[in-house]
Amino acid sequence: MPGNKAVIYQGPGEVTVESVDYPTLELKDGPGVNPANVGRKVPHGAILKVVASNICGSDQHMVRGRTTAPAGLALGHEITGEVIETGPDVEFIKVGDLVSVPFNIACGRCRNCKEGKTGVCLNVNPDRPGSAYGYVDMGGWVGGQAEYALVPYADWNLLKFPDKDQAMAKIRDLTMLSDIFPTGYHGCVTAGVGTGSSVYIAGAGPVGLAAATSAFLLGASVVMIADLQKERLDQAKSFGCETIDVSTGDPRDQIERILGRPEVDCAVDAVGFEAHGHGGEAGTERPATVLNTVMDVTRAGGAVGIPGLYVTGDPGASDEAAKVGSLSIRLGLGWAKSLAFTTGQCPVMRYNRALMEAILHDRTQIAKNVNATVIPLDQAPQGYADFDKGAARKYVLDPHGMIK
């Protein structure tokens, strides 16, 4: 049995790469594992040799100490890998398959899974609907920023790439299928993006850039992306986005200069609960700023997609209400404009197969647009540090040196 190394959260601001247990077809006790899941058998699971596992902004929230994540938690929910072992109940996935792993863990059997709501599966997390690998309060399924990882319900969860050689040639793009590409796409779909749409996207991090890529794929005429970081705005501009520097003032005024009117058809919040103010408040955390802005700049009768993460527990919040996820949002404004809102985890399986086909047939360049940057597993701590400083990159961990 080979060894295994993984990226471990040690406490606010610190991650390390440590030797950990090799995965087995049973959930073991450990940091963050729900006691009700300890000893859970996984005969329907598969063990993967991880080909790529990406650093996500959601991971960064934990590493900043902005969640209740325990020290010792193995991180990582964006996983692409090669199947090296299957449980006795796995029928269709085979050893040797190269697969994408949706970050949502779903059983495929419950009411929500059968309705396509795989982000809120009822059977994988004893505390609440919905689960993910290596994430706080998500049931304790071990993270995939590692050399090897366990995936339950393999026949249901895993998306097999049709040709391994073709997939490896496009692996930088295909690794985005585990989370940020479907998540950005979901934000746009739920915001109603279509042919000729004008779109405002808050946040030029990887999810925001994926949302912008998705907006173009869906036929948007104008895609505006807003951020505080010049490097990230430059990255958005590199593939055709109009950019809005919210450190200089109200996005509404800048939208009017671009469109000739101050409102858009569709808006996407790709920032989440660590939002900062605009203009003179740009250096101050204002967790409701983006939610209020997207309501303000979306036309009456429009829709807002909210793939940006909001949490129920934020010990680092600036006020007591925000520590339990209570924000001062202008719901009356949204109601008065008859806006539609969609929140929550993206149900990755709703989109990943279609987006895979778009990648394989050269209809999109998601890796280029998010500036995918491959680094070895042992450089993960530096990747986290650089990402935290606002690097306009999507860091892809390559545990086995398999990515050319």
Side-chain angles (χ1 to χ4, degrees):
M1 182 180 296
N4 192 20
K5 290 185 177 180
V7 179
I8 306 296
Y9 170 65
Q10 300 291 5
E14 184 181 2
V15 296
T16 58
V17 178
E18 306 287 343
S19 293
V20 297
D21 290 341
Y22 184 82
T24 64
L25 298 174
E26 178 181 329
L27 269 183
K28 304 292 180 63
D29 197 7
V33 179
N34 190 300
N37 264 349
V38 174
R40 184 171 181 167
K41 306 294 184 182
V42 192
H44 42 68
I47 294 173
L48 306 186
K49 179 180 181 181
V50 177
V51 174
S53 185
N54 315 326
I55 296 175
C56 180
S58 299
D59 300 320
Q60 197 72 67
H61 293 309
M62 288 188 290
V63 172
R64 290 188 185 121
R66 297 299 299 268
T67 71
T68 55
L73 185 71
L75 300 173
H77 55 269
E78 299 189 14
I79 309 165
T80 306
E82 180 183 4
V83 177
I84 58 173
E85 181 182 345
T86 59
D89 292 352
V90 177
E91 185 175 0
F92 304 110
I93 289 293
K94 304 298 182 185
V95 170
D97 288 346
L98 190 62
V99 295
S100 178
V101 185
F103 80 89
N104 325 106
I105 303 172
C107 72
R109 296 153 166 80
C110 70
R111 173 182 177 174
N112 282 352
C113 283
K114 289 179 179 180
E115 292 177 355
K117 301 170 184 174
T118 54
V120 280
C121 173
L122 301 174
N123 288 331
V124 287
N125 183 356
D127 281 344
R128 65 177 77 168
S131 189
Y133 304 89
Y135 211 83
V136 59
D137 296 332
M138 287 291 186
W141 300 88
V142 177
Q145 288 174 11
E147 292 176 311
Y148 299 93
L150 168 68
V151 175
Y153 304 103
D155 281 328
W156 169 252
N157 283 302
L158 295 178
L159 174 66
K160 177 184 172 182
F161 300 136
D163 183 279
K164 286 180 72 173
D165 291 338
Q166 180 193 30
M168 285 305 299
K170 293 179 177 290
I171 197 68
R172 286 176 171 82
D173 296 280
L174 293 170
T175 189
M176 304 304 162
L177 292 174
S178 57
D179 183 354
I180 67 162
F181 200 6
T183 292
Y185 195 85
H186 179 62
C188 288
V189 168
T190 55
V193 178
T195 302
S197 298
S198 58
V199 186
Y200 174 84
I201 298 169
V207 169
L209 296 171
T213 303
S214 301
F216 285 123
L217 195 58
L218 288 163
S221 58
V222 181
V223 178
M224 289 160 280
I225 192 161
D227 206 281
L228 298 162
Q229 302 264 4
K230 181 182 183 303
E231 186 182 357
R232 289 184 168 184
L233 291 173
D234 288 344
Q235 181 63 27
K237 192 179 296 184
S238 74
F239 62 96
C241 299
E242 300 285 346
T243 57
I244 293 174
D245 184 349
V246 292
S247 71
T248 66
D250 191 336
R252 191 179 178 91
D253 297 334
Q254 298 180 62
I255 290 170
E256 185 165 23
R257 286 197 291 272
I258 294 167
L259 284 183
R261 58 185 186 275
E263 291 183 326
V264 296
D265 298 319
C266 319
V268 177
D269 172 2
V271 176
F273 72 103
E274 286 194 72
H276 285 69
H278 299 155
E281 293 187 333
T284 305
E285 193 163 300
R286 294 283 186 266
T289 294
V290 171
L291 290 172
N292 289 327
T293 295
V294 293
M295 285 191 284
D296 184 42
V297 304
T298 304
R299 67 175 178 83
V304 175
I306 310 175
L309 176 68
Y310 289 87
V311 295
T312 56
D314 175 11
S318 55
D319 60 71
E320 292 303 311
K323 288 181 179 180
V324 292
S326 181
L327 309 180
S328 298
I329 63 170
R330 298 179 63 193
L331 187 59
L333 173 63
W335 189 93
K337 296 175 78 173
S338 294
L339 299 179
F341 301 86
T342 301
T343 65
Q345 287 187 31
C346 163
V348 170
M349 294 174 70
R350 191 177 299 174
Y351 308 109
N352 63 350
R353 184 174 298 277
L355 293 175
M356 174 187 73
E357 295 292 346
I359 289 169
L360 293 178
H361 293 281
D362 299 318
R363 292 292 178 255
T364 186
Q365 293 184 301
I366 182 65
K368 176 178 177 289
N369 291 358
V370 302
N371 197 14
T373 302
V374 179
I375 59 175
L377 185 69
D378 60 10
Q379 290 183 19
Q382 188 60 52
Y384 270 96
D386 293 343
F387 189 36
D388 190 47
K389 294 172 185 173
R393 298 176 182 275
K394 175 66 172 177
Y395 287 102
V396 177
L397 302 178
D398 179 8
H400 297 279
M402 296 177 69
I403 302 175
K404 293 181 180 178

